[in-house]
Amino acid sequence: MQLGLSVSDSDVSSFTPLVVLELADDTKAEAITWLLNRIRDKQQNGGAELLVNQLLFPAQDDQKPNPNVFVVGSTLQRLLNGAEDVGLFKEFQDGTMRGFTYANRESFKDFNGDGEGFLSDAECQYIIKHELDTLRAKNEEHVPGYPKLKLYPGKSVVRRLQSKGVLIQYFPLHNKEDLKRLSFSWYKKFKLSLQPLDDIRHYFGEGLALYFGFLEYFTFALVPMALIGIPYYLFDWEDYDKYVLFAVFNLVWSTVFLEVWKRCSATLAYGWGTLSRKKAFEEPRAGFHGALGFNPVTGREEPVYPSSKRQLRIYLVSVPFVLLCLYLSFYVMMVYFDMEFWAINIYNENPDIATSILLFVPSIIYAVVIEIMNLLYRFAAEFLTDWENHRLESSFQNHLVLKVLVFNFVNCFASLFYIAFVMQDMVLLRQSLATLLITSQILNQVMEAFLPYWLQRRRNKKVHKRMRRLMGDKELPLLGQVQLETEMNTYLGTFDDYLEQFLLFGYVSLFSCVYPLAAVLVVLNNITEVYSDAFKMCHVFKRPFSEPAMNIGVWQLAFETMSIIAVVTNCALIGLSPQVKAYFPESDTQLILIVVAIEHVLLAFKFILAFVIPDVPKHIQVNLAKLEFDSLEALKKRRRALGR
């Protein structure tokens, strides 16, 4: 059944395709017709009023192509109206960032003529996604052709089709020219300069741009610690006790680091128009289910799931499972120590090159096991969090982050805490920290950079070969591009990227005073991380939809929690130093009390610093207050005009 343009049409699509929508190849014809009509229908009739055409791929020898692949676009007028609907902020003529309104379009800085080029591709794709996500059922009782796929007035059509596997995926298309320019300025030439964050934001959106902004800031913030750490490491390599000064510097650095980032984040978000942007009303997740009920906020019928049932699932199943995983982590840690003592005994009996190398084997094996356990736990945590049936995506993400952070923290750092405060062996602590850090970085680079690159190269060659065999000399760039991008991996968000930086921050802030090269290793890792992540975003993953963001969200709290733990850890390490113990030769109690008192003072200083340093710079606060005042004045004038 042909519902759109055929591949032989000279202009494969009569509009600029922005989004690809792929349905299951066995989708019923009446369901496809109904969905396309709803997408094309006027807004006043409950449609999305978008443009959509079918892409027909030629038959292949080995497999039948999916006939249900469509490209979605929009008229410029519809996109401008949609920009107002989603609350998009753009730069005003006076330099401030204001919510776009079609009525005042001429007052915005880059709006010229009919507005061509005013919205970026990422913004246009975000608007189309919003319109598709808010496409709602009217009076249909079920999806045509699927009697068991129930609908009710107000239900999101796209989310319903997604949850039942009728809609396989929908994703934004890459813009080849823009991608080429971005790739060249971002990673194709090695240069000691800042990343093009505005270009990244323009192409991928604010959420991803903020991650790369944080990655860049974190890397630069580590440079002073790395510069101090190199001579400290070289001159005090055999003296494991002289780490007090470095621990003090570590305390100050971990406190100031996050407070300054808040200001940098606010500056970026203000320049991108997301700092004062109101958060969009959250719709239920695609996988959320429950008995049909009434939402008093929206006035629509939607699934309702009792909070008490969710809490029972969390506390009777999820929490015990997490505790069981933590127990397994501790068990594996004790096995590692048995291996460590075995290697040390062999070295003591016969100290030579082979046995000295053997000393590092237990730590390397343990580091590999840690990465495997983290990966397996991640899948289990996602399954459990999905099973808990959270209504909102934000709630789902918060519970997932909490589960993953707790386990990863214990799994990665428990052995180091045990060595530092139970065994009190600073030599073994330095060796274990170095081995864990280096091994985890090598594994991450292999898994995140080399492996995806190799797999994508193979996939690209297969797709290009297939298209050349089928089409010969005929060049159909859109068909080839869609075929290639449909088979790309889906980018699952910045969760894993922030998690990696969180763990690296932990290695640096918690124990780097006994291994000063930790900061150097993390700086080198992050430099390669910028290039590998940039390449992956441009050529390995499908282009993600733009996600407006005003900060790094729950990860800010995670990093701040780690910095608090770092204060306690470094104070304890200072207390264990022979240099400090020498001042209290006869009274361990007095030493403990003094260390605890210093730790409380430093924590108080940290919170005072957080209070004194404003999260938002003064000039941005003034601009936001001015914008709010202008909005109130405009509202008063409108009311006076209506009163007349």
Side-chain angles (χ1 to χ4, degrees), residues 424-490:
Q424 297 186 15
D425 187 341
M426 296 305 155
V427 179
L428 182 58
L429 178 61
R430 173 177 284 189
Q431 176 190 316
S432 298
L433 175 59
T435 308
L436 288 174
L437 182 57
I438 294 171
T439 306
S440 65
Q441 288 183 346
I442 293 173
L443 289 174
N444 281 330
Q445 290 298 326
V446 171
M447 295 299 294
E448 292 186 7
F450 298 110
L451 185 60
Y453 172 73
W454 179 71
L455 292 174
Q456 190 58 36
R457 290 261 307 188
R458 287 189 61 192
R459 191 180 296 120
N460 289 357
K461 287 181 180 179
K462 286 183 180 180
V463 172
H464 288 312
K465 185 177 180 181
R466 190 190 313 154
M467 294 302 294
R468 281 197 304 268
R469 186 177 70 248
L470 293 170
M471 306 310 302
D473 296 330
K474 294 166 66 177
E475 186 173 344
L476 291 171
L478 179 60
L479 279 181
Q481 181 183 358
V482 172
Q483 180 82 20
L484 182 66
E485 294 187 27
T486 300
E487 298 184 15
M488 282 181 169
N489 296 324
T490 300

Side-chain angles (χ1 to χ4, degrees), residues 226-241:
L227 292 176
I228 295 174
I230 292 174
Y232 201 92
Y233 175 85
L234 293 176
F235 297 124
D236 281 337
W237 170 240
E238 296 300 334
D239 191 345
Y240 297 100
D241 301 328

Side-chain angles (χ1 to χ4, degrees), residues 548-615:
M550 61 184 295
N551 49 46
I552 62 174
V554 68
W555 292 103
Q556 181 74 38
L557 178 61
F559 278 90
E560 289 177 354
T561 303
M562 181 70 84
S563 70
I564 292 172
I565 298 173
V567 170
V568 179
T569 303
N570 281 276
C571 284
L573 287 172
I574 291 171
L576 291 175
S577 168
Q579 295 169 285
V580 175
K581 282 185 175 181
Y583 291 100
F584 306 93
E586 298 178 356
S587 177
D588 289 341
T589 304
Q590 188 179 5
L591 172 61
I592 293 171
L593 291 174
I594 290 176
V595 169
V596 171
I598 293 173
E599 172 245 315
H600 279 62
V601 169
L602 288 170
L603 286 175
F605 169 74
K606 178 179 177 61
F607 291 120
I608 292 171
L609 195 65
F611 177 77
V612 170
I613 300 177
D615 295 346

